[in-house]
Amino acid sequence: MGKAKSTNIEIRNKRASFDYEFLETYTAGVVLVGTEIKSVRQGKVSLQDAFCYFVGNELFVKGMNIAAYFWASWGAHEPARDRKLLLTKRELRHLHQAVKTKGLTIVVSKMFISAEGYAKVVIALAKGKKEFDKRETIRKKDIARELERD
């Protein structure tokens, strides 16, 4: 029996692109347990406050909330637990060195189901925007919207 087809699930963290300037992006696998994948396929994921941190040489995501699956009974998962991300050793080493630099962090910008049926997240090495940077982003969006109307 083949793998499940992609169901066009794409959850975005719009707040992250407003608050941070993305320097580099990576696609990482997520270690899920039990009924979490079923909730992800239903689109019941919140990436609002999701960020990544290192424990030893492993990368974990904190603040990603996967809602409890409605039909689960005894095997229900904990919605707000920390989840391990899967990247290559070289990518992990590069991110670990970059995070040591002051002002850089790793945020989750998007979650999707791959063509093979696996849950993936797009993480970004990011630098926080100042207030005037945010105003400039809003100004650019307004100009683009006005040009699109004409």
Side-chain angles (χ1 to χ4, degrees):
M1 188 152 200
K3 294 278 184 183
K5 296 287 183 196
S6 175
T7 54
N8 295 334
I9 298 296
E10 189 174 289
I11 298 114
R12 293 188 171 277
N13 186 355
K14 294 177 185 174
R15 189 74 194 167
S17 62
F18 184 71
D19 288 340
Y20 297 97
E21 175 186 345
F22 297 157
L23 304 176
E24 300 173 6
T25 60
Y26 298 91
T27 302
V30 186
V31 177
L32 299 176
V33 296
T35 56
E36 288 178 328
I37 189 65
K38 294 184 180 216
S39 290
V40 170
R41 287 194 175 125
Q42 290 179 345
K44 299 192 177 199
V45 179
S46 173
L47 302 175
Q48 190 74 25
D49 299 323
F51 66 94
C52 300
Y53 67 96
F54 279 93
V55 174
N57 290 329
E58 296 179 336
L59 187 64
F60 289 85
V61 63
K62 186 178 192 79
M64 181 169 67
N65 188 350
I66 298 177
Y69 184 60
F70 179 75
W71 297 105
S73 57
W74 60 271
H77 65 273
E78 183 182 338
R81 73 177 185 88
D82 297 352
R83 293 165 181 90
K84 184 177 175 181
L85 296 180
L86 305 172
L87 289 165
T88 64
K89 284 184 182 180
R90 188 178 64 176
E91 289 171 336
L92 287 171
R93 205 172 23 247
H94 175 71
L95 285 171
H96 198 48
Q97 288 296 326
V99 170
K100 289 180 183 176
T101 305
K102 186 176 180 183
L104 295 181
T105 188
I106 304 170
V107 294
V108 178
S109 61
K110 182 170 70 168
M111 184 173 204
F112 64 96
I113 303 291
S114 70
E116 294 83 24
Y118 297 117
K120 303 274 186 175
V121 292
V122 176
I123 58 173
L125 182 63
K127 187 170 105 172
K129 287 184 182 177
K130 303 281 190 241
E131 190 65 35
F132 61 86
D133 292 335
K134 292 179 186 178
R135 284 193 294 258
E136 184 65 29
T137 303
I138 293 170
R139 195 173 301 123
K140 286 179 183 177
K141 284 182 182 179
D142 288 342
I143 291 170
R145 195 176 302 126
E146 288 295 324
L147 290 174
E148 194 173 284
R149 286 183 189 160
D150 295 336

